[in-house]
Amino acid sequence: MTYEAVIGLEIHAQLQTQTKIFCGCSTAFGAPPNAHVCPVCLGFPGVLPVLNHDAVDLAIRASMAIGCRVNETSVFARKNYFYPDLPKGYQISQYEQPLASEGHVEFNGPAGPRRVQITRVHMEEDAGKSLHEGFADSDRKTYMDYNRAGTPLIEIVTEPDLRSAGDAAAFFEHLRGILVWLGVNDGNMEEGSLRCDANVSVRPTGTTTLGTKAEVKNLNSFRFLQKAVEYEIERQIDLLKEGGRVRQETRLFDSAAGVTVSMRSKEEAHDYRYFPDPDLPALILDAARIEANRSAMPELPAARRQRFVAGLGLPEYDAAQLTQTRALSDYFEAAVAAGGAPKAVSNWMMGELARSLNESGRDIQASPVTPDKLAGLLALIEQGTISGAIAKGVFETMMATGQEAAAIVSAQGLTQIDDESQIVGLIADVIAKNADAVAGYRAGKTATFGFLVGQVMKAAAGKANPKRVNDLLKRALETI
Ligand code: ADP
Ligand code: ZN
Ligand code: MG
C-alpha cells in the first residue's frame, strides 16, 4: 500500500507597523527587555485596548494579495489561557468572524505549478518572549520580555491542499515573497517576524477521507518546514504500516536532531473559551475603506513578471529572477525607463551588478551604479563608443567611485577604436610579426584566427571594435 501526504499551513506574520496593535508602544526589534511596554500590553486591570488602523490596512492588503474576500464585519475575541508570556491571561484574536476569507495562491512547486486555497486571514496580537537559562534545577531561571507582547500579527490559514514537503516549503517561500513585496512583513524569519505551523496527515493513495493530523509548531525557516514535514510524513506512514494509529497532537521540531517530538495530545488541548472581547467594537470596514486599500496595492510580482515577458520581451527566466524582490524589479524598470534595452539591463543586473553587490555585501538600493548610470553605460556600448569587454572595467570603476560611465571613458581614454585605417594598420603589424600563424591560417589551420584577433586587440589595448577587427582581419588574411 502506498500513502499520500496531506498538509495545511498556519502562518503567522508580524505586520510592519510602527506601534503595537492595541497601544502606542513601539514594535522595534532588539530593544532592551521590557523597554517597549505599557499598562495596556502588560495587561493591567482596567485598561482599554484601542485598535491600530495601520495594522488593519496592512492586513487588508495582505488578504487582497492572496485573493481573499475582505469581510465587512470582523470580530476580536478573547482566547483564554494562562502562560507567563501572556500577561492578560488571554490573547485577543479574531475567531468566528475573521478579517478575510476564501482566497487562493498559485505558485511553482518543485514538481510544477500548484494552487492552494486560503481558508482565512485573521488579525491577532503576538505574545511576549520567555528566555530560559541554566539546566541544573538549582540554577534554572526564566526571564520575561514583553516587548513583543501586543505586536500585530495576521494568521493565514490554508486548506489542506499541499501534498509534499517540497510544495509546503515552496508555498511558504512564495507567500513570504508576496508579504515582503507588499511591505506588510519584513520577512525576517530569524527574528521570528514570520513563522509557520504545519498540519500533516497521511492517507492511502486514492482515498479521499482525511487522516488524523499532527501539528508541528513554530517552524521559522523554509528548510526546517521541509525537514519537519518530511520527517512527519515518514513517521506517520511507518506507524500505519506497523498497524498503529496517528494520534492527534501538537509536536515540536528538534532541528538539531531532525525529528519531531510530541508536546501535547488532543486530550490535553486547551479549551480556550473564546468569546467576543467586550472592550473592542466589531471591526466594520466600509466599501470606501476596502477600495482605498485596493487602489493603494502595488502591482504584485506575478503580474509584473508577466508584464516583463509580454510587454518587454524578457525570457521567463529573466522575468522570474528580476521579480524576486520589489527592489530588483524597480531597479530594472528604472533602468529601462532611462533608455536601457530590457535584455541588456537584465543581463547586467543578473551578471556584473549582482556579483559586485554580492561581493560588497550591498543591497541593490545602495548600489553606486544607479539605474540611470547603468543605462548610461549601456548606451555607450550600444553606440559603439566602448566594447563589451572595456565596459566591464568601466563598470568596476563606476561601482567603486559612483561616477558616470561617460566621464570614466573620456578621463581614461577608453573610447573604442572604430576607425578603419587605424585598425587596418594594427592588423598589418600583427600579420608582419606572426608569419607562422598567418601561414598556418592560409594552410587551413583556422584555429590560429582567434590567436591573431587576440594579438590585434592586445596591440589596441583592448579598445578596438571586436567586430571590425574580425571582419578586417579576415579580409586581410584572405586577400593578401
Ligand atoms: P484545528 O481545529 O485542529 O485547529 P482546523 O480545521 O482549524 O484544525 O485546521 C487547521 C489547519 O490544519 C488548516 O491549515 C487545515 O488545512 C489543516 N488541516 C485540517 N485537517 C487536516 C488534515 N487531516 N491533514 C492535514 N492538515 C489538516
Ligand atoms: Zn503597550
Ligand atoms: Mg484551527
Side-chain angles (χ1 to χ4, degrees), residues 6 34 38 59 123 240 279 318 338 397 435 443:
V6 174
N34 301 308
C38 74
M123 300 184 69
L240 296 183
D279 290 340
D318 294 49
T397 312

Side-chain angles (χ1 to χ4, degrees), residues 153-175:
L153 298 177
I154 45 173
E155 179 174 341
I156 298 171
V157 182
T158 79
E159 289 292 299
D161 287 349
L162 296 152
R163 295 288 176 270
S164 74
D167 279 349
F171 167 75
F172 190 22
E173 193 166 354
H174 180 85
L175 187 65

Side-chain angles (χ1 to χ4, degrees), residues 430 434 436-438 446-457 473:
V430 167
N434 295 279
D436 285 359
V438 172
T446 45
T448 57
F449 186 72
F451 165 78
L452 292 168
V453 169
Q455 293 304 301
V456 178
M457 291 304 284
L473 179 63

Side-chain angles (χ1 to χ4, degrees), residues 361-418:
R362 269 189 287 222
D363 283 342
I364 194 153
Q365 289 103 313
S367 172
V369 177
T370 58
D372 274 17
K373 287 177 181 161
L374 179 62
L377 175 68
L378 297 182
L380 295 181
I381 305 170
E382 177 73 15
Q383 294 151 13
T385 309
I386 54 173
S387 67
I390 291 286
K392 292 196 174 167
V394 174
F395 179 81
E396 293 289 326
T397 312
M398 292 170 78
M399 282 302 274
T401 64
Q403 279 178 287
E404 301 270 356
I408 296 166
V409 168
S410 74
Q412 298 186 7
L414 295 175
T415 303
Q416 180 161 266
I417 302 170
D418 211 13

Side-chain angles (χ1 to χ4, degrees), residues 236-301:
Q236 293 184 14
I237 292 175
D238 287 349
L239 210 66
L240 296 183
K241 282 190 173 160
E242 287 161 11
R245 287 180 46 203
V246 175
R247 289 201 318 156
Q248 185 166 342
E249 61 186 352
T250 305
R251 300 177 70 88
L252 287 179
F253 181 57
D254 176 343
S255 57
V259 301
T260 65
V261 288
S262 181
M263 190 167 97
R264 60 171 181 260
S265 73
K266 172 98 175 163
E267 291 72 47
E268 305 158 58
H270 300 286
D271 176 353
Y272 293 114
R273 302 277 162 149
Y274 280 98
F275 62 87
D277 192 310
D279 290 340
L280 284 160
L283 174 58
I284 312 282
L285 299 169
D286 58 20
R289 173 91 176 269
I290 294 176
E291 275 325 300
N293 274 292
R294 199 182 298 283
S295 43
M297 290 277 283
E299 184 183 30
L300 290 172

Side-chain angles (χ1 to χ4, degrees), residues 51 53 56-57 59-64 67-76 94-103 118-123 155 282-291 293-294:
L51 181 60
H53 278 276
V56 177
D57 287 329
I60 290 174
R61 287 177 210 174
S63 303
M64 285 176 169
C68 285
R69 176 188 78 241
V70 177
N71 297 316
E72 193 186 288
T73 304
S74 55
V75 173
F76 287 98
Q94 296 182 325
Y95 183 56
E96 280 177 338
Q97 289 180 263
L99 180 82
S101 317
E102 291 175 45
I118 305 295
T119 314
R120 55 189 268 150
V121 178
H122 64 257
M123 300 184 69
E155 179 174 341
L283 174 58
I284 312 282
L285 299 169
D286 58 20
R289 173 91 176 269
I290 294 176
E291 275 325 300
N293 274 292
R294 199 182 298 283

Side-chain angles (χ1 to χ4, degrees), residues 11-340:
I11 289 149
H12 287 93
Q14 285 183 1
L15 300 173
Q16 281 195 282
T17 52
Q18 299 295 311
T19 56
K20 295 186 180 180
I21 185 167
F22 298 120
C23 63
C25 292
S26 166
T27 53
F29 183 84
N34 301 308
H36 298 320
V37 293
C38 74
V40 174
C41 54
L42 288 177
F44 282 23
V47 298
L48 287 173
V50 177
L51 181 60
N52 177 345
H53 278 276
D54 288 347
V56 177
D57 287 329
L58 291 177
I60 290 174
R61 287 177 210 174
S63 303
M64 285 176 169
I66 53 177
C68 285
R69 176 188 78 241
V70 177
N71 297 316
E72 193 186 288
T73 304
S74 55
V75 173
F76 287 98
R78 291 186 181 178
K79 179 181 182 180
N80 298 282
Y81 63 98
F82 170 77
Y83 200 75
D85 66 12
L86 192 73
K88 290 199 294 290
Y90 57 86
Q91 179 194 23
I92 302 178
S93 175
Q94 296 182 325
Y95 183 56
E96 280 177 338
Q97 289 180 263
L99 180 82
S101 317
E102 291 175 45
H104 67 271
V105 171
E106 275 154 20
F107 69 100
N108 280 316
R114 295 285 184 269
R115 181 187 166 99
V116 172
Q117 301 284 126
I118 305 295
T119 314
R120 55 189 268 150
V121 178
H122 64 257
M123 300 184 69
E124 60 187 28
E125 58 179 341
D126 211 344
K129 264 188 210 164
S130 315
L131 277 101
H132 306 288
E133 183 186 279
F135 291 99
D137 277 347
S138 55
D139 67 4
R140 206 178 303 168
K141 294 192 177 73
T142 294
Y143 301 89
M144 297 310 308
D145 176 4
Y146 294 108
N147 284 345
R148 198 178 69 180
T151 298
L153 298 177
I154 45 173
E155 179 174 341
I156 298 171
V157 182
T158 79
E159 289 292 299
D161 287 349
L162 296 152
R163 295 288 176 270
S164 74
D167 279 349
F171 167 75
F172 190 22
E173 193 166 354
H174 180 85
L175 187 65
R176 176 183 180 275
I178 293 175
L179 296 176
V180 172
W181 184 286
L182 286 173
V184 160
N185 179 264
D186 69 10
N188 196 327
M189 299 170 70
E190 289 104 79
E191 290 178 5
S193 309
L194 185 65
R195 43 198 203 262
C196 171
D197 304 336
N199 298 272
V200 182
S201 66
V202 297
R203 63 187 175 194
T205 309
T207 61
T208 52
T209 334
L210 290 173
T212 305
K213 72 176 159 74
E215 179 178 9
V216 188
K217 283 272 181 205
N218 260 330
L219 299 160
N220 69 345
S221 84
F222 307 128
R223 209 170 54 85
F224 290 168
L225 170 60
Q226 168 136 5
K227 293 275 168 226
V229 172
E230 274 168 5
Y231 179 86
E232 198 46 35
I233 292 170
E234 230 180 88
R235 182 187 73 84
Q236 293 184 14
I237 292 175
D238 287 349
L239 210 66
L240 296 183
K241 282 190 173 160
E242 287 161 11
R245 287 180 46 203
V246 175
R247 289 201 318 156
Q248 185 166 342
E249 61 186 352
T250 305
R251 300 177 70 88
L252 287 179
F253 181 57
D254 176 343
S255 57
V259 301
T260 65
V261 288
S262 181
M263 190 167 97
R264 60 171 181 260
S265 73
K266 172 98 175 163
E267 291 72 47
E268 305 158 58
H270 300 286
D271 176 353
Y272 293 114
R273 302 277 162 149
Y274 280 98
F275 62 87
D277 192 310
D279 290 340
L280 284 160
L283 174 58
I284 312 282
L285 299 169
D286 58 20
R289 173 91 176 269
I290 294 176
E291 275 325 300
N293 274 292
R294 199 182 298 283
S295 43
M297 290 277 283
E299 184 183 30
L300 290 172
R304 200 172 259 202
R305 196 174 65 232
Q306 264 186 332
R307 189 162 54 76
F308 286 178
V309 173
L312 297 174
L314 277 192
E316 285 282 354
Y317 175 82
D318 294 49
Q321 293 296 310
L322 294 174
T323 49
Q324 286 203 329
T325 69
R326 198 162 155 187
L328 263 181
S329 64
D330 284 347
Y331 185 104
F332 170 75
E333 294 228 86
V336 170

